[in-house]
Amino acid sequence: MESTLFDNAYKLSELGESIEQVLHGCFPNSVRVEAEIAELRVNRGHCYMTLIEKAEGSGDIIAQMRATIWANTYKIISAYFFESTGVQLQSGIKVMLQCKVSYHTLYGLSLNVVGVDPEYTIGALAIARREIVQRLEKEGIINLNKQLEFPLLPLRIAVISSDTAAGYGDFLNHIENDTHGYSFQVVLFRSLMQGNGVEKSLIAALDAVFARLDEFDVVVVIRGGGASIDLSCFDNYEIAAHIAQFPLPIISGIGHQRDDTIVDLVAHSRVKTPTAAADLILQTLINTENEVLLRAEQIVNTAYHRLEEENTTLSNYLMRMNSSMKGKIVLENRHLEQQHEHMMTAVKLKLQNIGTHLQLLQRVVRSYDPESYLRRGYVLVEHEGKIAKSVNELAVDDIVVLQFHDGKKQAKIITNNETTDL
């Protein structure tokens, strides 16, 4: 019978067993595997991961494999890894794993993780962190938020946090139980604060605050603390870039005691805990209030001292003015008395002169008085009610009145120029 292509066919289980034997022969001991965790989930204490390798430059995935950490081992490895690095095993981080290569006829190829090298991850995280910081510095945005002036009255607060986070409750309780009587407006913008999706969620919250920018004085990014929560999601370029360029001062209070994250580095102010973020805001208000009270007291004191000085100056001025006026009045009185004396003397002299002149006038007038002439023997000749001043004014037979000092007589003009009594 002729042979066919299917004469040497393997059963699937036989092929699987053969592959298993070959792999076991090639990898009898555990091997060190360098990879990035693309996905990670824990089920019943067992950890199931998808490991990948990306091409340098393009970031394309060029290799992918499943890995498993069984429950007993995972409990030890995860605790050791977090204690050493400060972050949990999670997607997005690079790891160096000690693995046994296995092949199961039912589940296929798998890597069973028996150990982890935290130093590798620390180095990878440090490199990634340094690259992000260098990029922020090169773009000139790393200190932008720090350069904003912190408000003197941060009463309108936008909080970015999870509404279930213990840190948000601590912050809110600390603010609301303030004994200074400040009235706050606190608005929560919900965001994931750990695990996958933090980047997208936190940036969306920042955008939501930006849309209502005029309603707030400051932004607080907070989350609950605790040793079981990692912070690697806050060593993220996109989140850091958004915070660095945000137009309101941002307080980072994400609840940890370890080294600062990049978010802490770019935020305006960094505090250890959400409660400390509340204390920072309260202390700013207390400082502002104290400064206002101090300035008010200084203004009052300055005004009081100025009034005292002005009152003293005014009193001195009044005293000098009174003294000067008294002296002026005395001098003016003396001057008036002197003027009065001069005037009286001048008036008396003037009156004397006038009297003398009047006497002279009287004498002159008397000397021209017709009565005085009549007493000396002169006669006034009246014709038709008028004094005749010339002989030519009279004609023959004119009747005239002759006035003597002691009476009048009529007379008639005759031709022989002699007068005859009528």
Side-chain angles (χ1 to χ4, degrees):
M1 212 179 153
E2 297 182 0
S3 63
T4 66
L5 292 174
F6 301 101
D7 288 343
N8 297 321
Y10 284 95
K11 289 182 179 180
L12 185 60
S13 60
E14 291 175 343
L15 180 60
E17 289 173 356
S18 297
I19 293 173
E20 183 179 4
Q21 291 174 3
V22 171
L23 286 176
H24 182 70
C26 292
F27 303 103
N29 302 311
S30 61
V31 296
R32 291 167 62 85
V33 177
E34 178 184 350
E36 178 181 332
I37 300 176
E39 295 179 6
L40 183 148
R41 63 185 179 86
V42 179
N43 184 21
R44 297 181 180 180
H46 305 299
C47 177
Y48 302 95
M49 298 181 293
T50 299
L51 303 179
I52 60 173
E53 179 184 350
K54 295 179 179 178
E56 293 185 6
S58 66
D60 296 333
I61 296 175
I62 58 176
Q64 179 174 307
M65 196 170 298
R66 291 184 297 108
T68 304
I69 309 176
W70 303 117
N72 291 336
T73 306
Y74 178 66
K75 185 182 297 184
I76 298 172
I77 285 179
S78 61
Y80 171 61
F81 186 80
F82 179 77
E83 181 67 25
S84 301
T85 64
V87 298
Q88 287 185 329
L89 285 171
Q90 61 180 312
S91 59
I93 64 173
K94 292 183 178 182
V95 290
M96 180 70 74
L97 302 174
Q98 192 73 27
C99 304
K100 289 184 178 180
V101 181
S102 65
Y103 184 87
H104 192 278
T105 56
L106 185 59
Y107 302 110
L109 182 66
S110 177
L111 300 177
N112 293 327
V113 179
V114 295
V116 63
D117 182 2
E119 294 298 327
Y120 173 85
T121 302
I122 291 173
L125 291 174
I127 292 172
R129 189 178 190 277
R130 184 170 64 250
E131 290 175 348
I132 293 173
V133 171
Q134 289 174 346
R135 181 178 176 183
L136 294 169
E137 290 175 342
K138 183 177 180 180
E139 293 172 354
I141 63 175
I142 193 167
N143 291 319
L144 289 182
N145 198 256
K146 292 183 182 297
Q147 293 171 359
L148 296 177
E149 184 175 354
F150 200 81
L152 297 176
L153 299 173
L155 296 171
R156 304 176 302 167
I157 307 168
V159 177
I160 297 178
S161 182
S162 168
D163 55 351
T164 60
Y168 172 63
D170 293 340
F171 175 85
L172 204 59
N173 181 64
H174 206 62
I175 286 291
E176 292 178 346
N177 292 328
D178 167 54
T179 59
H180 292 83
Y182 302 128
S183 179
F184 292 97
Q185 173 191 332
V186 181
V187 179
L188 174 65
F189 292 83
R190 293 176 176 82
S191 172
L192 294 175
M193 301 305 288
Q194 66 182 70
N196 295 326
V198 170
E199 175 185 331
K200 182 178 179 181
S201 181
L202 201 152
I203 290 175
L206 286 169
D207 290 341
V209 177
F210 184 81
R212 300 169 57 182
L213 199 64
D214 293 338
E215 300 178 29
F216 302 103
D217 304 310
V218 68
V219 180
V220 182
V221 180
I222 55 177
R223 61 178 250 168
S228 62
I229 301 176
D230 66 87
L231 302 164
S232 62
C233 56
F234 294 97
D235 283 331
N236 177 282
Y237 169 78
E238 293 298 334
I239 294 176
H242 276 74
I243 288 177
Q245 299 176 89
F246 205 76
L248 289 179
I250 293 181
I251 301 173
S252 171
I254 54 181
H256 64 96
Q257 301 296 328
R258 296 181 180 274
D259 293 340
D260 294 349
T261 65
I262 295 179
V263 166
D264 295 321
L265 184 65
V266 298
H268 183 282
S269 302
R270 183 259 186 182
V271 292
K272 292 289 186 180
T273 63
T275 300
D279 285 334
L280 174 61
I281 292 173
L282 290 172
Q283 191 59 52
T284 299
L285 289 167
I286 292 170
N287 292 342
T288 300
E289 181 180 5
N290 291 339
E291 183 67 19
V292 170
L293 293 175
L294 178 61
R295 294 294 178 87
E297 184 178 357
Q298 290 174 344
I299 291 172
V300 171
N301 290 337
T302 301
Y304 177 77
H305 291 309
R306 183 63 182 271
L307 286 174
E308 284 189 332
E309 292 175 357
E310 292 300 326
N311 284 333
T312 301
T313 301
L314 182 60
S315 298
N316 294 335
Y317 177 75
L318 289 174
M319 291 176 62
R320 291 196 299 270
M321 184 174 68
N322 289 334
S323 176
S324 176
M325 289 301 296
K326 288 180 180 178
K328 187 72 173 178
I329 290 172
V330 170
L331 290 175
E332 290 299 325
N333 285 334
R334 290 177 181 174
H335 182 69
L336 286 174
E337 290 175 355
Q338 292 173 355
Q339 291 293 325
H340 181 264
E341 291 176 356
H342 293 325
M343 184 177 67
M344 292 301 295
T345 301
V347 168
K348 288 179 180 180
L349 181 60
K350 187 70 175 177
L351 289 175
Q352 289 176 356
N353 293 335
I354 292 173
T356 301
H357 185 65
L358 285 175
Q359 290 176 358
L360 292 174
L361 288 176
Q362 286 177 352
R363 292 174 184 175
V364 173
V365 169
R366 288 191 191 103
S367 66
Y368 286 99
D369 186 3
E371 187 68 24
S372 66
Y373 285 96
L374 292 177
R375 284 192 179 95
R376 292 199 297 268
Y378 292 96
V379 177
L380 289 177
V381 179
E382 294 183 8
H383 177 252
E384 294 180 352
K386 296 180 180 180
I387 300 297
K389 298 179 180 180
S390 173
V391 71
N392 295 324
E393 295 179 4
L394 300 175
V396 177
D397 297 329
D398 284 343
I399 301 300
V400 297
V401 176
L402 301 177
Q403 183 174 346
F404 298 90
H405 75 92
D406 56 353
K408 294 181 179 182
K409 289 289 186 177
Q410 286 186 342
K412 182 178 179 180
I413 303 300
I414 60 175
T415 57
N416 58 3
N417 295 325
E418 294 181 357
T419 60
T420 305
D421 293 335
L422 297 180

